[in-house]
Amino acid sequence: MKRVASLLLCACLAAGACTAQGAGDRTVTVFAAASLTESFGALAEEFEAEHPRVRVRLNLAGSSRLAQQIVAGAPADVFASANEATMRTVTEAGRAEHEPRVFATNELAIAVAPGNPHGITSFADLARDELTVVVCAPQVPCGAATERVERASGVTLRPASEEQDVRAVLTKVQAGEADAGVVYGTDVRAAGERVSAVRFPEASRAVNRYPIAVLTGAEQPEPARWFTEFVLGPTARKRLLEAGFGAP
Amino acid sequence: MPWPLWIPAALGLALVALPVAGLLLRADLARLPGLLTTPAALHALRLSLLTAALSTLACLLLGVPLAVVLARARLRGVRLLRAVVLLPLVLPPVVGGLALLYLLGRNGFLGYLLAVTAGVRVPFTTAAVVLAQTFVAMPFLVVSLEGALRGAGADYERVAATLGARPLTAFRRVTVPLLLPAIGSGAVLSFARALGEFGATITFAGSLQGVTRTLPLEVYTKAEVDTDSAVALSLLLVVVAVLVIAIARPRAWEGTR
């Protein structure tokens, strides 16, 4: 019953028809990078357990798309981006309440089929002719990082496709359509048994730093600040490290 | 005509026209030529026109016989067949893309066969784009043709048969000419639908400049970072679509009246 009520509440909020205060609960809307899907899902639950009157509503998608939506006036309270360049879109539009703070870092890894049947051991291997490689488009953070690694290593990839977010790349590898995909190390870990990871040293040349900020015009500025502090705090740090993120 | 009809009619028109007007208002008209002639935009436009034309051709080659069979065959189960053929009309395009992937992808049975026997890979190629577009566009052709076939009746064909024409001759010399206007309008509809195809393409063919990134995919890619050029490309799509419908459709319709 409670579940149904909270679902209804969410629907209400989405429609902008009523506010959370009416029911005594407060809902904070968090826009977060697709690569944070599992981590923020778990963090939101822990946060809600600590703050019983506050609900966290997550909107997970490619960071660049989320940033565009926020600049266009999307009703979000908090933004967690997969890189600082994308966060800058939001700060330059005057929508960040404070200087964004980095809460995690992430490195690229190569996702391959379980057991690595093609014997991929380095980033340079991805340039092999017979391999179907899928990457992120340069417009999104994981694609920007991939480009930096290409420049740093002097390896030029000829991808079969440039996807819009890191999860789409992972899906193509899981489906067996791509032999290898360049994603974040955390994505490979989240995918469990369905893919294997190949780590490569050049990844350290393009470490993504994940900033978080409370947004100006937030409908729930107070819980938004609590959530942001929570993500920057020790409990969240522990969870993020477990998920494979690096410390800032 | 009862006057109260004007109110919902106007609302209906507004629902379609106002968002397009919004797009126009948002567009930076001074920068429009520059935004539309970037290499990425030109690649996408060329690819879109090429693939939509090819898939229209495929729709014609496969869809015309299919419509004739559905309208004329006296078989049990034609009704079910029709439901299957029209499925892409109601399915979300992403589902179509997945379905194609599980048939022609590397782990799909046909895809596996093609890879092993001919060394051919379908996903991530321009051919995959054409297939995805044909998949979603063909029902439009079949629907408009089937209606015309039923309207036209089979009398002329029967007469041709009594005059000694073989079935194939009757089809070529009688049925097809009768259907030409409907074929024309169906082809235009298919072309327009193929031009706008997005979900099946990105799922089945991926997105790579010059190979699989058609105009709708380019708009999606640009919407991430560069709203101005996304808007410019959207306008281009609107203009092409309006042109296609306005120029070709009424002409195709004239004969059916």
Side-chain angles (χ1 to χ4, degrees):
Chain A
M1 203 50 214
K2 201 175 157 205
R3 205 186 160 87
V4 173
S6 68
L7 271 175
L8 279 175
L9 185 66
C10 276
C12 264
L13 277 167
C18 62
T19 55
Q21 281 92 340
D25 274 6
R26 305 218 259 171
T27 300
V28 47
T29 304
V30 177
F31 279 29
S35 45
L36 293 167
T37 303
E38 287 79 12
S39 310
F40 266 38
L43 286 184
E45 274 180 27
E46 283 194 51
F47 176 78
E48 285 176 350
E50 276 183 26
H51 300 80
R53 315 275 294 176
V54 182
R55 296 268 148 274
V56 178
R57 184 157 50 127
L58 291 174
N59 180 17
L60 301 148
S63 303
S64 311
R65 183 158 299 267
L66 293 175
Q68 289 295 328
Q69 289 171 354
I70 291 167
V71 171
D77 299 320
V78 176
F79 180 41
S81 162
N83 73 3
E84 291 169 300
T86 307
M87 181 59 95
R88 216 166 294 136
T89 319
V90 170
T91 51
E92 277 170 8
R95 281 225 57 193
E97 195 189 76
H98 53 83
E99 192 62 24
R101 290 153 71 189
V102 174
F103 64 93
T105 62
N106 210 352
E107 273 188 19
L108 294 178
I110 301 166
V112 295
N116 195 2
H118 292 277
I120 295 162
T121 55
S122 67
F123 189 75
D125 275 349
L126 295 183
R128 270 159 42 189
D129 273 339
E130 76 277 13
L131 292 181
T132 302
V133 177
V134 173
V135 299
C136 291
Q139 288 87 351
V140 299
C142 56
T146 307
E147 258 193 345
R148 287 206 301 278
V149 171
E150 285 187 68
R151 271 201 302 274
S153 62
V155 175
T156 309
L157 302 184
R158 279 172 296 105
S161 177
E162 295 173 351
E163 303 284 330
Q164 290 307 311
D165 69 57
V166 72
R167 292 302 157 119
V169 174
L170 198 63
T171 308
K172 293 269 194 299
V173 176
Q174 281 180 14
E177 294 310 323
D179 298 314
V182 182
V183 296
Y184 297 118
T186 51
D187 294 301
V188 185
R189 196 182 289 208
E193 308 279 289
R194 288 166 294 175
V195 291
S196 296
V198 177
R199 299 280 179 172
F200 52 97
E202 297 93 330
S204 64
R205 307 285 291 272
V207 175
N208 276 25
R209 293 156 54 82
Y210 283 58
I212 189 167
V214 176
L215 300 172
T216 51
E219 279 178 30
Q220 298 291 345
E222 260 205 318
R225 277 172 218 133
W226 299 337
F227 183 76
T228 307
E229 288 307 322
F230 178 78
V231 169
L232 289 157
T235 320
R237 168 75 50 86
K238 192 158 151 268
R239 290 281 168 275
L240 288 163
L241 289 178
E242 280 165 10
F245 286 96
Chain B
M1 185 178 57
W3 69 265
L5 287 185
W6 280 101
I7 297 165
L11 284 175
L13 180 67
L15 181 65
V16 179
L18 288 183
V20 178
L23 206 57
L24 259 173
L25 288 175
R26 174 67 181 74
D28 188 347
L29 292 175
R31 283 182 60 210
L32 212 54
L35 291 172
L36 291 180
T37 48
T38 61
L42 290 176
H43 271 129
L45 178 64
R46 193 180 316 137
L47 184 69
S48 263
L49 292 177
L50 173 76
T51 52
L54 286 174
S55 68
T56 305
L57 188 69
C59 283
L60 284 173
L61 290 176
L62 307 173
V64 174
L66 195 52
V68 174
V69 167
L70 288 181
R72 294 276 191 266
R74 302 191 185 285
L75 288 174
R76 218 180 279 222
V78 163
R79 201 182 268 259
L80 184 71
L81 215 62
R82 180 180 304 113
V84 173
V85 171
L86 301 190
L87 215 48
L89 279 182
V90 276
L91 280 180
V94 181
V95 175
L98 278 179
L100 285 166
L101 205 54
Y102 290 126
L103 174 70
L104 287 162
R106 216 183 259 182
N107 297 326
F109 70 87
L110 207 56
Y112 179 77
L113 217 65
L114 278 173
V116 170
T117 56
V120 173
R121 178 195 71 176
V122 183
F124 307 126
T125 62
T126 307
V129 179
V130 175
L131 271 171
Q133 291 177 348
T134 309
F135 181 86
V136 296
M138 195 163 61
F140 285 84
L141 182 91
V142 174
V143 164
S144 56
L145 267 191
E146 215 202 327
L149 273 163
R150 290 183 186 282
D155 294 346
Y156 291 111
E157 289 154 45
R158 257 178 243 127
V159 172
T162 60
L163 294 175
R166 290 161 196 277
L168 200 59
T169 313
F171 175 73
R172 201 164 50 82
R173 305 283 298 270
V174 178
T175 315
V176 170
L178 270 177
L179 284 181
L180 269 184
I183 292 177
S185 78
V188 169
L189 260 183
S190 309
F191 183 81
R193 181 66 191 86
L195 207 59
E197 212 302 306
F198 172 79
T201 308
I202 202 161
T203 312
F204 179 47
S207 172
L208 188 69
Q209 187 178 329
V211 181
T212 54
R213 191 174 292 157
T214 55
L215 265 182
L217 270 61
E218 179 67 24
V219 171
Y220 187 64
T221 306
K222 281 284 150 60
E224 301 266 325
V225 280
D226 181 0
T227 323
D228 285 340
S229 70
V231 169
L233 289 167
S234 305
L235 271 184
L236 178 65
L237 261 179
V238 170
V239 169
V240 175
V242 167
L243 278 181
V244 162
I245 297 168
I247 296 173
R249 266 206 94 182
R251 194 180 302 158
W253 273 351
E254 275 163 28
T256 60
R257 299 260 161 90

